[in-house]
Amino acid sequence: MDRYIETLKEKVEERLGKQPRVHGDFVYLADIIHAERHELISPTTLKRMWGYLKQETPTPQTRTLNILSDMLGFKDYKDFCNYQDETNRYSSEFVKHDTQLCFLMGNGEMIKISWYPQRVLVLRHEGDGDLFSVVSSENSKMEPGMTLHCETFTKNEALLLKNVKGGSLTESCDYICGKIGGIEFELLGQK
């Protein structure tokens, strides 16, 4: 089954407050669907979807997926899938990424970070694991001379800068870069 179906099942289980395990659970789910949505769906169909009946390839019908999506407040299964894509609700999956581990950077080594819309930071590693200082800032609230902590830089992912201090800040705080679309980075070497 694709990840959307697995996510749909998880959301239905959250709505029920438990994972259906026995025949009575599937009868209960079918009864809820009938009472709330006025749709008939058999406990056997639900068992098939949850993999409790032996089948080589359990493939739920579109009608079943639409009814369960409707139960969760979506127009249909396609609407549910679109919502998952738009909100990136998948809590885990394997990904390939381009990451720079900060503890591998040398004292004085610089890194340029950019993100939408036209924001650019140049940071200098201060030789203490994850400590950096801001060298320059374009179109961002960060200011030269500020210090911050960061463990990794990952392309196309949001970047959390921790314990930002200095500049016009009156107290330390965290700062997030690239909430939309993530960041890009380029190692600049030592300068």
Side-chain angles (χ1 to χ4, degrees):
M1 285 194 217
D2 67 17
R3 65 183 181 177
Y4 298 110
I5 293 174
E6 290 303 314
T7 302
L8 179 64
K9 288 171 24 182
E10 290 170 11
K11 298 299 179 189
V12 169
E13 291 169 5
E14 286 175 18
R15 172 88 165 42
L16 283 176
K18 65 179 178 176
Q19 180 182 16
R21 296 185 184 275
V22 295
H23 177 74
D25 294 338
F26 294 101
V27 170
Y28 177 67
L29 177 54
D31 288 344
I32 289 175
I33 292 167
H34 185 257
E36 292 181 2
R37 302 292 169 215
H38 308 291
E39 292 279 353
L40 291 175
I41 188 166
S42 77
T44 303
T45 298
L46 296 170
K47 285 180 186 179
R48 201 174 290 122
M49 182 164 169
W50 260 263
Y52 285 85
L53 296 180
K54 299 293 180 206
Q55 269 183 260
E56 287 184 25
T57 55
T59 311
Q61 293 182 358
T62 303
R63 178 182 177 274
T64 302
L65 298 172
N66 286 341
I67 290 170
L68 292 173
S69 297
D70 182 56
M71 176 187 173
L72 297 173
F74 295 91
K75 185 175 111 181
D76 55 23
Y77 181 64
K78 184 177 178 183
D79 187 39
F80 174 82
C81 295
N82 288 339
Y83 178 79
Q84 298 308 312
D85 286 339
E86 289 172 7
T87 59
N88 195 19
R89 294 229 182 238
Y90 297 109
S91 61
S92 59
E93 65 183 70
F94 291 106
V95 294
K96 288 186 175 184
H97 54 81
D98 188 355
T99 297
Q100 174 62 47
L101 301 172
C102 297
F103 72 88
L104 296 176
M105 294 178 68
N107 186 17
E109 193 170 352
M110 311 255 275
I111 187 167
K112 177 181 175 182
I113 300 155
S114 58
W115 68 97
Y116 177 83
Q118 300 176 344
R119 311 265 196 259
V120 179
L121 279 181
V122 176
L123 304 176
R124 179 178 48 244
H125 190 261
E126 296 300 332
D128 184 16
D130 66 353
L131 181 64
F132 290 83
S133 62
V134 178
V135 175
S136 66
S137 173
E138 296 175 31
N139 303 314
S140 127
K141 295 178 183 177
M142 300 294 289
E143 302 169 29
M146 288 180 158
T147 60
L148 56 99
H149 293 267
C150 183
E151 296 174 359
T152 61
F153 301 97
T154 303
K155 288 186 178 181
N156 303 315
E157 297 290 334
L159 172 67
L160 179 62
L161 304 176
K162 300 178 188 175
N163 199 21
V164 179
K165 297 179 183 176
S168 60
L169 292 175
T170 57
E171 59 185 81
S172 68
C173 63
D174 294 342
Y175 185 80
I176 191 163
C177 308
K179 283 173 70 172
I180 300 172
I183 65 157
E184 292 293 323
F185 69 82
E186 175 186 354
L187 293 172
L188 302 176
Q190 293 185 338
K191 293 187 179 183

